[in-house]
């Protein structure tokens, strides 16, 4: 008999969709014991009651394996789950997890489920666990017999790996800390934000940290409407409850009970330039930042920061955590905003960081003036299509606010509305059955046909008057040069 501890990452506890998948495994493998601990619901107790936390750690230590089971919350796990992971390090409880077999099980609509599983896999590797597998289920998969079978194979594989003490391969290397202390230099020239509203949000815990020093320098660089808000001073009484009351009209259960919603509406949404500053804890930002991201869900799946210019100030080994960088980039793209740049404290001297911060400030102002938005990549396009299809389908009844928003903003851009393409797709396949036509099309017509319309656009174009950007070369260019010089 295997003794598996299931760490439940849902704020809904036993009423979680994820837990129904766990219960299905329990029902089909009665010979094994799966003990569920509602970590997210108990986070306040685990933080404040040392005995309660130690009891949980002892249960982990006595188990044969750990199943991290969670729903997706904003590219990752729930903020309270993130906080529990932080407590493992803060309370020096790593020994209980070391050598244990582990797997991850999530439920979602497959919106950045891979970034959540990558994060959890990295955590398991950092805890020196034997990571077996990740299983990402769609919320309705349990209705499908084939998906049921797949889930059972996943569970059986976990049990078998534990029984056989099978070897596992570590995927994520340990993070190498960077102990450099950033000391800002003198500011030679301040930069006028030219009427734009700038909001800098930080979670710096003390004024001697690199994060705080980067925030302070950015603040002193900019003159005009520049506001700094520390999340630790913001009244956020709790994380997202997963109750979905916001689905009808964006009304949150926390409305009027703390300061977050008013802060988000009156400051975050009203800013032209947003600068988020954070320090890496484990393989993400802090659980406080995660609470900020989760609480944004009162707007459900509707982008609310359209056209904003974004900059990030990150203290910690961001270059070693591509999953975190992808998450930050995806967040901005899904918001239909523009990521201008990310500055970290990973560089070997303060002067280099000063240079990057100044350039980021210049670029943020310039892009805000020009209302510049880069085209979205797959990170944004793919994300929007996932939500578009789900809101049109299974989720529409619950998320009616999203449905109204998507209708009003033309997000339901399904191909069937392109009548020219529909006609082509009806008659084109018939013509393709004619061998001479097909041969001519593929050998002589397809290449010039693909660019014919584009050539007309180029021929008719006239040079617009674009104001010069007096800023230095792009941050990526400067960073690459600096890195080359270091080598």
């Amino acid at each position: 008999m295997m003794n598996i501890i299931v760490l439940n990452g849902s704020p809904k506890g036993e009423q979680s969709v994820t837990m129904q998948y766990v219960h299905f495994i329990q029902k089909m493998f009665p010979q094994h014991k799966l003990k569920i601990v509602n970590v997210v619901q108990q986070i306040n107790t685990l933080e404040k009651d040392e005995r309660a936390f130690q009891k949980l750690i002892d249960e982990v230590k006595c188990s044969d394996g750990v199943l991290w089971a969670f729903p997706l919350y904003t590219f990752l796990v729930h903020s309270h789950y993130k906080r529990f992971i932080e407590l493992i390090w803060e309370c020096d409880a790593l020994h209980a997890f070391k050598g244990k077999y582990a797997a991850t099980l999530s439920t979602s609509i497959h919106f950045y489920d891979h970034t959540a599983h990558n994060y959890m896999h990295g955590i398991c590797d950092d805890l020196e666990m034997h990571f077996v597998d990740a299983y990402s289920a769609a919320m309705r998969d349990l209705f499908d017999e084939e998906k049921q079978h797949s889930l059972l194979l996943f569970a059986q594989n976990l049990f078998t790996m534990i029984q056989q003490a099978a070897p596992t391969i570590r995927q994520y290397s340990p993070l190498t800390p960077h102990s450099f202390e950033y000391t800002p230099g003198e500011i030679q020239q301040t930069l006028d934000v030219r009427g734009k509203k700038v909001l800098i949000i930080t979670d710096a815990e003390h004024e001697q940290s690199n994060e705080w020093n980067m925030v302070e320098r950015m603040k002193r660089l900019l003159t005009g409407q520049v506001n700094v808000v520390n999340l630790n001073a913001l009244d956020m009484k709790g994380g997202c409850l997963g109750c979905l009351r916001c689905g009808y009209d964006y009304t949150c259960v926390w409305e009027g009970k703390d300061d977050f919603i008013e802060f988000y509406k009156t400051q975050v949404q009203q800013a032209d330039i947003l600068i988020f500053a954070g320090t890496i804890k484990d393989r993400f930002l802090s659980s406080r930042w995660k609470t900020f991201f989760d609480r944004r869900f009162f707007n459900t799946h509707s982008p609310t920061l359209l056209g904003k210019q974004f900059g990030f100030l990150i203290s910690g080994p961001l270059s070693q955590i591509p999953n975190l960088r992808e998450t930050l980039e995806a967040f901005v793209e899904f918001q239909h905003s523009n990521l201008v740049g990310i500055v970290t404290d990973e560089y070997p001297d303060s002067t280099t960081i000063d240079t990057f911060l100044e350039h980021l400030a210049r670029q943020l102002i310039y892009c805000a003036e020009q209302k510049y938005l880069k085209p979205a990549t797959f990170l944004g396009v793919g994300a929007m299509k996932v939500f578009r299809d789900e809101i049109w389908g299974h989720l529409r009844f619950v998320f009616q606010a999203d449905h109204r928003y998507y209708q009003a903003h033309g997000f339901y851009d399904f191909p069937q509305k392109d009548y020219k393409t529909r006609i082509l797709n009806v008659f084109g396949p018939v013509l393709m059955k004619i061998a001479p036509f097909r041969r001519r099309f593929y050998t002589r017509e397809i290449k010039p046909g693909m660019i014919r319309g584009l050539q007309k656009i180029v021929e008719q174009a006239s040079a617009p008057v674009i104001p010069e950007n007096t800023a230095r070369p792009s941050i990526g260019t400067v960073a690459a040069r600096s890195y080359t010089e270091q080598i």
Side-chain angles (χ1 to χ4, degrees):
M1 182 186 78
M2 292 291 103
N3 180 26
I4 307 297
I5 185 167
V6 180
L7 300 177
N8 181 7
S10 172
K12 292 181 280 192
E14 288 294 328
Q15 290 188 315
S16 163
V17 170
T18 312
M19 286 303 102
Q20 307 318 304
Y21 286 73
V22 173
H23 292 324
F24 186 77
I25 295 173
Q26 286 177 314
K27 184 76 175 289
M28 301 305 289
F29 293 94
Q31 69 272 32
H32 300 305
K33 180 181 178 182
L34 276 69
K35 180 173 182 179
I36 299 171
V37 180
N38 296 316
V39 171
V40 168
Q41 286 189 331
Q42 299 175 20
I43 191 61
N44 291 332
T45 301
L46 295 173
E47 273 193 299
K48 299 173 183 178
D49 189 336
E50 184 178 342
R51 288 180 298 178
F53 181 78
Q54 189 56 52
K55 179 182 178 182
L56 172 54
I57 294 303
D58 289 341
E59 290 177 341
V60 171
K61 193 171 183 179
C62 294
S63 69
D64 297 303
V66 177
L67 179 59
W68 303 84
F70 53 89
L72 265 289
Y73 273 78
T74 317
F75 302 92
L76 208 77
V77 297
H78 191 276
S79 59
H80 291 349
Y81 212 51
K82 174 70 168 64
R83 180 59 188 145
F84 170 71
I85 291 169
E86 292 175 358
L87 286 175
I88 296 172
W89 267 268
E90 291 176 14
C91 299
D92 196 23
L94 285 73
H95 62 280
F97 295 84
K98 184 176 181 179
K100 298 292 180 184
Y101 280 79
T104 54
L105 167 63
S106 73
T107 56
S108 68
I109 58 171
H110 297 307
F111 177 83
Y112 285 93
D113 49 347
H114 70 289
T115 54
H117 282 281
N118 289 344
Y119 168 75
M120 289 305 307
H121 191 161
I123 293 299
C124 290
D125 282 353
D126 291 342
L127 290 170
E128 298 184 68
M129 305 180 80
H130 293 292
F131 188 83
V132 175
D133 199 5
Y135 191 91
S136 179
M139 295 175 66
R140 298 173 58 84
D141 277 357
L142 208 55
F143 291 103
D144 188 319
E145 288 188 8
E146 288 188 9
K147 298 297 176 60
Q148 292 176 12
H149 181 65
S150 176
L151 176 65
L152 296 179
L153 289 177
F154 159 77
Q156 181 61 68
N157 184 47
L158 173 60
F159 300 141
T160 301
M161 292 280 282
I162 297 173
Q163 289 171 335
Q164 296 178 352
T168 57
I169 299 174
R170 178 169 186 148
Q171 181 170 321
Y172 295 93
S173 300
L175 299 177
T176 303
H178 180 54
S179 58
F180 171 73
E181 293 186 8
Y182 166 57
T183 303
E186 294 294 324
I187 293 178
Q188 303 300 320
Q189 181 182 4
T190 58
L191 304 172
D192 186 357
V193 299
R194 300 172 189 175
K196 302 299 180 182
K197 294 180 181 178
V198 180
L199 177 62
I200 305 174
I201 306 178
T202 178
D203 68 338
E205 296 179 350
H206 55 86
E207 296 184 0
Q208 301 302 318
S209 65
N210 284 1
E211 178 188 340
W212 181 257
N213 287 335
M214 286 192 290
V215 168
E216 276 294 295
R217 181 168 183 83
M218 183 63 76
K219 179 184 177 182
R220 289 189 289 114
L221 268 171
L222 302 172
T223 59
Q225 299 183 68
V226 181
N227 190 25
V228 177
V229 173
N230 194 314
L231 292 178
N232 293 310
L234 183 68
D235 182 19
M236 291 192 291
K237 286 187 166 56
C240 178
L241 301 180
C243 64
L244 304 184
R245 293 187 188 181
C246 53
Y248 180 72
D249 60 359
Y250 303 135
T251 299
C252 179
V253 69
W254 286 109
E255 189 94 43
K257 297 178 181 178
D258 63 15
D259 295 338
F260 178 80
I261 295 175
E262 182 180 0
F263 162 69
Y264 192 81
K265 289 180 177 179
T266 61
Q267 295 196 50
V268 180
Q269 288 185 288
Q270 299 304 313
D272 301 298
I273 296 172
L274 290 166
I275 301 173
F276 289 179
T279 298
I280 292 173
K281 288 194 174 182
D282 50 70
R283 291 178 176 269
F284 195 73
L285 302 180
S286 70
S287 56
R288 192 67 176 170
W289 258 117
K290 191 60 178 61
T291 301
F292 171 89
F293 289 126
D294 287 358
R295 287 288 302 274
R296 284 186 54 267
F297 190 71
F298 76 90
N299 291 295
T300 58
H301 310 94
S302 301
T304 56
L305 302 176
L306 287 78
K308 309 295 185 188
Q309 301 298 327
F310 267 89
F312 289 95
L313 311 180
I314 306 296
S315 177
L318 180 63
S319 62
Q320 301 175 46
I321 316 175
N323 191 64
L324 173 54
R325 176 177 284 273
E326 180 179 333
T327 302
L328 299 178
E329 293 172 351
F331 170 77
V332 176
E333 287 200 17
F334 170 68
Q335 290 300 320
H336 297 208
S337 292
N338 188 53
L339 177 57
V340 177
I342 302 175
V343 175
T344 78
D345 62 354
E346 297 177 271
Y347 301 97
D349 64 90
S350 296
T351 302
T352 301
I353 298 174
D354 285 347
T355 300
F356 291 159
L357 289 172
E358 181 181 343
H359 180 67
L360 175 60
R362 290 181 183 275
Q363 290 291 91
L364 284 165
I365 296 169
Y366 176 78
C367 290
E369 282 192 305
Q370 302 305 316
K371 299 181 179 180
Y372 175 60
L373 290 178
K374 292 189 291 287
T377 67
F378 176 80
L379 300 179
V381 175
M384 204 62 250
K385 288 183 183 297
V386 168
F387 282 149
R388 178 199 68 183
D389 291 356
E390 290 293 335
I391 298 301
W392 176 263
H394 293 300
L395 297 183
R396 188 196 304 190
F397 175 72
V398 176
F399 294 102
Q400 293 185 39
D402 280 333
H403 175 59
R404 291 190 293 269
Y405 184 96
Y406 285 20
Q407 281 185 313
H409 290 79
F411 285 5
Y412 290 137
D413 55 347
F414 296 100
Q416 67 264 25
K417 294 183 179 181
D418 184 348
Y419 294 103
K420 183 177 180 181
T421 299
R422 289 176 63 180
I423 293 171
L424 178 63
N425 288 338
V426 169
F427 296 103
V430 177
L431 292 173
M432 281 297 194
K433 291 180 180 180
I434 304 172
F437 176 88
R438 183 172 65 250
R439 187 163 47 249
R440 177 183 176 86
F441 177 79
Y442 282 115
T443 58
R444 299 177 59 181
E445 298 294 337
I446 188 168
K447 289 182 180 180
M450 289 176 68
I451 65 172
R452 190 172 293 121
L454 299 174
Q455 286 176 323
K456 290 182 179 179
I457 297 294
V458 174
E459 290 170 0
Q460 296 170 3
S462 58
V465 178
I466 300 178
E468 283 190 29
N469 180 1
T470 57
R472 296 182 178 86
S474 72
I475 291 174
T477 304
V478 177
R481 185 183 306 143
S482 174
Y483 182 70
T484 306
E485 291 170 355
Q486 293 173 43
I487 295 175

